[in-house]
Amino acid sequence: MRKVLLGIFILCSFVFLSFKEGAENDKVGFGSRKLKEMARQLPLYEMPSCDTIVEVSEIIKDKALVFVYHDKQIVHIGVSMFSRETKEIIGRDICNFLERYFLELLLLDSEANVNRKLKEDHVTLLLNGKRYGEGQFHSIGDVLQSMSMPVSFSLSHQGQYAETVWSSAGRLLQMRFPLYRELIVGMDKKESDEGVYNLLKVAEFDSVPYTEEKISRECLEFKADKVYVRHGEAFIIKTLTSDRYYVEENGNFHLIFQPQYPEYSMNNLFLSYQNGVGKTLKITHRQYGHFTPDFSIPLNNFLACFKDDFIVVCHTGYNKQNELETIVVFSHKVLNYIHLLRVHIDAKQLFTDHPVLKADFYSNIPQHYINSLLK
């Protein structure tokens, strides 16, 4: 009888602790379903409530797990491998991916499952030239634990792939992985679209300072009728560029925003903050699953959301309704995806005091989709 009661007590205690753990985790917000699932697999009584590192010896010994919060949500969990300063230099997305991905591998329960995941994600993992599962390379945890300071690290880009190399204590760990948004960011398109939408909704209240850029004649090429062009980058098709158009007045050059040059004026709006003040975008955000919320945001606030991580190119012409129409592409500097904005307005309305430009916004789409979207 005592054994039965003891068994019931142990069972009840286990159920209570499991329930408690689940309840505590449910109180914590997560930036993605992937992070939430990873958190459920961690042997922690409760999630940290702020940015921190925690030693979890059941997962990996002599190393810590890092937890990062933003807006009251956990937005990153991984094996702590980089300092904040290093992430700023190398790139936060890539560093967070590497930390998270190694934790994902550590959470798998067999060598076969690790190999299956590496194959599915098109990731190659080598130790001293041997693939995972070959030679002496059968434990990712052991390899990570053996990496002690000093550790040499390098990152290189090879087209649509990147390769990282860690060198420590006579061991060379190499990882080659594709630069797919879903893999690196750890979110599906629905989650990424929601993230962009939330970013833009907050950004509409920000202050966006700007200064007029002074330009010299040597940077410009004469086009026609006092108009000069400063050539920029082209993207996929030759008509999508970051070319800016200037006019000469009294020996000085100014970005064009004048009724006599409507196409140049419209094009310049998306490549500089200079003439964007007082202009509003009324956007239909075409998200995953045919979800299409509408919202308005000051033009410069919209552009500022993508200034650090994206290259901006555009093209302006007239659509079938004889309106000015600009295609704006925001191409991520590292990952192979774009955001695309299709904006239109009557040419006369553009030069009123507070014009509203209507736009369709397509976020987080593969680069090769651009040809079909531009038809």
Side-chain angles (χ1 to χ4, degrees), residues 1 19 39 101 103 189 333:
M1 183 64 176
F19 174 80
Y101 197 77
L103 178 56
K189 188 176 187 306
K333 294 177 181 178

Side-chain angles (χ1 to χ4, degrees), residues 165-208:
V165 179
W166 291 265
S167 177
S168 173
R171 289 188 165 192
L172 197 70
L173 180 64
Q174 297 170 269
M175 183 175 178
R176 187 172 186 268
F177 52 92
L179 294 169
Y180 299 154
R181 177 192 56 78
E182 294 89 343
L183 178 66
I184 304 303
V185 179
M187 297 182 184
D188 59 28
K189 188 176 187 306
K190 182 176 184 295
E191 292 171 324
S192 293
D193 284 350
E194 290 171 353
V196 172
Y197 176 77
N198 292 333
L199 171 68
L200 293 171
K201 289 298 293 178
V202 173
E204 65 181 281
F205 303 106
D206 291 344
S207 174
V208 182

Side-chain angles (χ1 to χ4, degrees), residues 124-156:
T124 302
L125 201 57
L126 303 174
L127 179 65
N128 295 335
K130 296 289 187 179
R131 286 177 177 266
Y132 176 78
E134 299 177 354
Q136 302 299 312
F137 192 14
H138 298 275
S139 172
I140 292 171
D142 289 347
V143 173
L144 295 180
Q145 287 170 220
S146 69
M147 288 187 178
S148 56
M149 297 300 291
V151 177
S152 174
F153 173 81
S154 65
L155 168 68
S156 60

Side-chain angles (χ1 to χ4, degrees), residues 43-305:
L44 296 177
Y45 182 64
E46 61 182 359
M47 289 295 104
S49 58
C50 61
D51 291 2
T52 189
I53 59 174
V54 178
E55 290 189 8
V56 185
S57 59
E58 296 92 335
I59 301 297
I60 184 171
K61 296 178 181 178
D62 303 322
K63 297 289 181 183
L65 303 187
V66 59
F67 294 80
V68 179
Y69 268 80
H70 177 71
D71 196 23
K72 300 180 180 180
Q73 287 189 326
I74 292 179
V75 294
H76 173 56
I77 309 174
V79 179
S80 183
M81 303 175 73
F82 304 96
S83 67
R84 291 183 179 180
E85 293 76 16
T86 301
K87 288 183 179 183
E88 292 300 326
I89 296 171
I90 297 174
R92 186 169 301 277
D93 285 344
I94 294 295
C95 290
N96 283 351
F97 158 70
L98 293 169
E99 291 182 334
R100 189 192 71 245
Y101 197 77
F102 275 115
L103 178 56
E104 288 185 72
L105 296 178
L106 289 172
L107 289 172
L108 295 174
D109 57 5
S110 70
E111 183 177 307
N113 285 337
V114 172
N115 268 321
R116 186 178 298 110
K117 179 170 179 58
L118 292 172
K119 184 176 181 180
E120 288 175 353
D121 294 335
H122 304 285
V123 173
T124 302
L125 201 57
L126 303 174
L127 179 65
N128 295 335
K130 296 289 187 179
R131 286 177 177 266
Y132 176 78
E134 299 177 354
Q136 302 299 312
F137 192 14
H138 298 275
S139 172
I140 292 171
D142 289 347
V143 173
L144 295 180
Q145 287 170 220
S146 69
M147 288 187 178
S148 56
M149 297 300 291
V151 177
S152 174
F153 173 81
S154 65
L155 168 68
S156 60
H157 295 268
Q158 305 166 351
Q160 295 185 357
Y161 278 77
E163 182 176 86
T164 56
V165 179
W166 291 265
S167 177
S168 173
R171 289 188 165 192
L172 197 70
L173 180 64
Q174 297 170 269
M175 183 175 178
R176 187 172 186 268
F177 52 92
L179 294 169
Y180 299 154
R181 177 192 56 78
E182 294 89 343
L183 178 66
I184 304 303
V185 179
M187 297 182 184
D188 59 28
K189 188 176 187 306
K190 182 176 184 295
E191 292 171 324
S192 293
D193 284 350
E194 290 171 353
V196 172
Y197 176 77
N198 292 333
L199 171 68
L200 293 171
K201 289 298 293 178
V202 173
E204 65 181 281
F205 303 106
D206 291 344
S207 174
V208 182
Y210 74 93
T211 56
E212 183 173 350
E213 180 185 12
K214 293 187 177 181
I215 192 81
S216 63
R217 187 184 299 271
E218 290 74 21
C219 299
L220 303 172
E221 178 183 309
F222 180 72
K223 192 169 181 66
D225 189 26
K226 297 184 179 180
V227 174
Y228 291 76
V229 58
R230 182 181 184 179
H231 291 293
E233 300 184 53
F235 178 75
I236 296 184
I237 55 178
K238 63 181 181 180
T239 55
L240 278 172
T241 73
S242 56
D243 292 354
R244 301 185 188 187
Y245 300 93
Y246 293 80
V247 64
E248 182 179 12
E249 295 177 353
N250 301 321
N252 295 316
F253 297 94
H254 304 281
L255 270 175
I256 291 176
F257 190 75
Q258 300 172 359
Q260 58 265 46
Y261 304 113
E263 291 178 71
Y264 296 154
S265 299
M266 181 80 157
N267 211 74
N268 280 344
L269 278 181
F270 301 95
L271 300 172
S272 167
Y273 299 135
Q274 186 172 320
N275 297 309
V277 175
K279 297 169 181 63
T280 301
L281 288 175
K282 185 177 181 181
I283 293 175
T284 298
H285 187 184
R286 302 195 176 278
Q287 298 184 24
Y288 175 85
H290 305 289
F291 182 50
T292 56
D294 295 326
F295 64 95
S296 294
I297 183 173
L299 172 60
N300 282 354
N301 293 53
F302 180 89
L303 297 176
C305 288

